[in-house]
Amino acid sequence: MKTDKKLADIENIKDIIPDELPVVALRDTVIFPNTMYPILVGREGSVQAINTALADEKMVLLVAQKEINEENPDAAGLYKTGTVAYITQAMRLPNSLIKVLVNGLLPADIEDISYENTASLGNPTGIDGKPETSFWMRARVKVRETKKVRKNSKLSALIRKCHEKFERYVLVNQDLPEEVLTSFSDDENPEQTLYLIASYLELDIHEKQKLLEAATLEMQFKKLLTFLTRELELVMVSSEINEKVQDEIQETQRKFFIQEQIKALQDELDEGDYGDPDLIRLKEQVTAANMPEDVLAKANEELERLKKTPQMSPEYGVARNYLDWLVALPWDTFSEDNLDILKVEEILNQDHFGLEKAKDRILEHIAVLNLVKSMKGQILCFVGPPGVGKTSMGKSIANALGRKMVRISLGGVSDEAEIRGHRRTYIGSMPGRIIQGIRKAGTVNPVIVLDEIDKVGHDFRGDPSSAILEVLDPEQNNTFNDHYLDVDYDLSKVLFVATANVASSIQPALLDRMEVINLPGYLEHEKLEIAKRHLIPKKLQAHGLPESGIKFKDDAILYIVRKYTSEAGVRALEQQIAAVCRKLARQFVTAQKKEEADGKKKRKKTFRKTVNEKTVRELLGVEKHRDRDPQRLDKLGSVSGLAWTSTGGAILQIDVAVMKGKSNFRLTGKLGDVMKESAQAALTYLRANAKKYGIDDGYFENHELHIHIPEGAIPKDGPSAGMAMCLAMLSLLTENPTRHDVAMTGEMTLRGEVLAIGGLNEKLLAAQRHSIKKVLIPAENMPDMEEIPAKVKEGLEIVSVSTIDEAVEHVFRSQAKKAKGKKKS
């Protein structure tokens, strides 16, 4: 550091440079003045020269050798001009190497070279004046003087041009940082600027040597400008090539072009082959699917389009998914029907008790199939309250016929595309539920259960009921066209079984295409048999109880039916039996744990229990359904009407009250529009026939009538309560009590005529459950009595009436008293 400070303080460095300096030959570089450069010295002569310099003034002459591969060059193998350098640092490394940091001072010309032996300082000159192989060189030099140069216009232009070129060179060359440009802000020393710029250029040894040997500064800048222009062009061309290559590598369509070339070559060779093994397998699946001719043509067309579509394209996934659906659908796969009518009847009887109409219809279908190969119009609709076995009957039909069964729930479906499918133009499109069910079944003749068909909705997305028309129409469904597949599919081999709670909620056009089979509900004896044959064994097994150890007595089952359920089906009965089984299981496990706690040895024993009426009362608690009128007394203004709801038949207790006031009419009990109109019609009939029944003409002007049907939270509607409401008002107005054991159903006109109603079977069942003795029905419904089972009519006196006057004779025990209006007058 001390020597460096002395060099910086010396105005003319030439004065301290010795006349003779040790020579270090450089293989592949040229050291310029005013630059710092590290060199690695390993040759024996160069190491001796460095050691000599370190012992003296630490100055050496750095000269480039003409031939890079020459190991020990002599004076003839060196250039005549080199650079005097000062050794700033020297570090000795293993294997006799020395790492030296030199500071270039001034250029110098060699005047004479002498050789020194590396072993001694004697003259190593051998024969013919040539040096020995082990030598180092010492040169007498002439150092060039550093003079202050006066800048002329030409030199200034050269310097400015070199500055501009070098700035562009640094900006274009990514290997050089932009901080390099900060070293060239000072133009006071152009010679230093020259050598610094030259040190950053990628020049070969001969070009650097020419720059060093140039006689004047102007000639040096000319050469430097030439080299700068050439290197700048090379860097710009290299940068442009790199950008093009980078853009080509990042080109997203590279694979697309390759695939297009491959396909073009395949078409040119006319091979018709599929390069992708996945497409080859798909082609084989299309061929093996046994599709109809039009569908096969469509599939091959899509396959050809898929072959020409790149896999990265969105269209590829759409087309591939479409072909997968075509291949997965069954086109000629059939389930062989079980046509043994006796075996089918046995299976149906095992699965279900009762439901004779449904069973007869299936057996008729089997009989026809024994005579013909195929039959259209196999569309059934089971209508009945919840829990009567509509869906399970569909499963039993599939089991009896030996067909696959698919259940499609239509409750709440409001989008037409759920039935007909979405078109392939939509993202995430799929076939409709019908085609999905066919694929799931895997055969062209499954049993498809359309559950809750009466609860299909509709909104702005379309009307699914209208879409189902094509599915269930025997004349159309053999060419059912799903929007996604866009090809015809034959649904005529499918046995459709629809289920509904109320037939009136089904669209009329859709209802017309189905064969409706009513499942009204079960009588007490039927529920008893169902519980003994199906429900109790099923629940005992589900709760881990031994069937042989638990015995349900008939009176216990009937007690559950009467006091803990009120339904047409057996779903609530199944729930109550499950509750009994749970409590029995708890008793059994609790008894076992107590024995273990008492230290008794645990032994395996069968749990035995007989369930009677008393046991049911203890296990299930308070009765849920009690008789509303324990006294069973005749009352004024109170009539039992019969209604048909979605849960089966029910008793409507119609109560009427009268009070003083202006002419007014109140209706409560959450009545529907139809029932409200029936009440208005009944009141109008009574006012029009007031004299016939002994009612004063002005009575209605001074009194208010209020009709109420209890259980107001339950919606009630339907055209079957007109006669009951009329007789309830007539009872109150004439002060004649109605018989408590009489129930009635029927709509009425303004002339007092009684019209026909529906749901007669369900209403008679409700009358039986509530111990009604006499039932009044419209005369027009008498032909329907032939289809009512004898068990339903058992214990009931069924009377047909055509007018209100005929009904009066059966509702009141005695002749009507004087009317209130007459009494008051």
Side-chain angles (χ1 to χ4, degrees), residues 266 442 659:
Q266 289 177 349
M659 64 204 79

Side-chain angles (χ1 to χ4, degrees), residues 39-215:
I39 58 175
L40 187 63
V41 180
R43 289 184 287 190
E44 192 174 1
S46 299
V47 171
Q48 187 62 45
I50 292 296
N51 291 334
T52 303
L54 290 173
D56 294 335
E57 298 295 333
K58 296 185 178 182
M59 293 188 182
V60 293
L61 180 66
L62 304 177
V63 185
Q65 61 187 59
K66 296 178 181 179
E67 296 295 332
I68 296 177
N69 297 326
E70 189 173 354
E71 185 63 26
N72 294 309
D74 55 3
L78 301 177
Y79 287 101
K80 297 303 181 182
T81 303
T83 300
V84 178
Y86 179 78
I87 300 175
T88 303
Q89 289 181 352
M91 181 182 297
R92 300 187 183 276
L93 303 175
N95 300 327
S96 302
L97 299 176
I98 301 177
K99 186 175 182 180
V100 181
L101 181 63
V102 296
N103 184 7
L105 301 178
L106 293 172
D109 298 323
I110 299 176
E111 293 182 345
D112 188 22
I113 291 182
S114 61
Y115 301 92
E116 301 287 340
N117 195 316
T118 56
S120 63
L121 299 177
N123 189 354
T125 305
I127 302 173
D128 300 331
K130 293 182 179 180
E132 297 280 340
T133 56
S134 297
F135 63 92
W136 62 280
M137 293 176 286
R138 188 191 297 273
R140 188 171 69 249
V141 298
K142 180 180 179 182
V143 181
R144 297 181 184 179
E145 295 184 8
T146 303
K147 298 181 180 179
K148 293 184 178 180
V149 181
R150 292 184 179 180
K151 293 183 181 180
N152 52 28
S153 58
K154 188 173 183 180
L155 180 60
S156 298
L158 286 172
I159 295 174
R160 186 182 303 109
K161 199 69 176 176
C162 287
H163 266 285
E164 294 174 358
K165 293 277 186 180
F166 186 71
E167 286 181 4
R168 292 187 60 191
Y169 177 80
V170 172
L171 295 175
V172 175
N173 193 345
Q174 297 180 357
D175 296 332
L176 292 179
E178 295 183 6
E179 289 77 12
V180 172
L181 299 175
T182 59
S183 305
F184 303 96
S185 58
D186 186 8
D187 294 336
E188 294 296 326
N189 191 348
E191 189 174 348
Q192 183 178 2
T193 301
L194 171 77
Y195 291 128
L196 283 175
I197 293 176
S199 65
Y200 285 109
L201 299 181
E202 295 181 3
L203 306 177
D204 57 28
I205 296 176
H206 303 291
E207 292 172 339
K208 290 182 178 180
Q209 190 65 34
K210 287 181 181 179
L211 190 63
L212 185 65
E213 292 174 354

Side-chain angles (χ1 to χ4, degrees), residues 121 124 133 146 160 169 180 245 270 281 285 395 402 729 798:
L121 299 177
T133 56
T146 303
R160 186 182 303 109
Y169 177 80
V180 172
V245 172
D270 196 23
R281 184 170 60 256
Q285 292 175 350
K395 295 179 182 178
M729 288 188 286
I798 301 174

